Amino acid sequence: GTDAIVQLLSHRPRQLLRLPIPAIAKGASANLTIFAPKEAWTFEPSDIRSRSSNTPLVGHQLTGRVKGVVNNGLWQEVNK
């Protein structure tokens, strides 16, 4: 499920590189991703962030979407 994907994409790479896993704690620098796991949306060409535009996902409905990122305590909204 979603918990396993979060583990594989966030914690596991840090473990493999022997980097500390950041904690969400009072006084700690905030570094996290805000994710809406149930939001349905259609992937459009304007969603492509790469220089390469070849993807079979254009026009497909997907579930789950990143809403924003907090990096070093600064909020950056994505996918408005």
Side-chain angles (χ1 to χ4, degrees):
T2 303
D3 290 341
I5 292 170
V6 168
Q7 178 69 21
L8 290 171
L9 294 176
S10 62
H11 291 164
R12 190 66 183 138
R14 295 185 76 83
Q15 290 170 336
L16 293 172
L17 296 171
R18 297 189 174 143
L19 297 171
I21 295 177
I24 300 174
K26 185 176 181 176
S29 181
N31 294 298
L32 52 102
T33 301
I34 306 301
F35 181 69
K38 295 180 181 177
E39 181 176 332
W41 60 288
T42 302
F43 189 85
E44 301 293 345
S46 61
D47 295 312
I48 299 172
R49 306 259 197 252
S50 172
R51 283 190 268 173
S52 174
S53 60
N54 56 337
T55 177
L57 296 176
V58 172
H60 285 244
Q61 186 171 19
L62 305 175
T63 303
R65 191 164 202 180
V66 171
K67 302 306 286 180
V69 175
V70 178
N71 187 12
N72 291 320
L74 300 175
W75 169 254
Q76 181 174 351
E77 187 173 2
V78 294
N79 300 317
K80 296 178 183 178

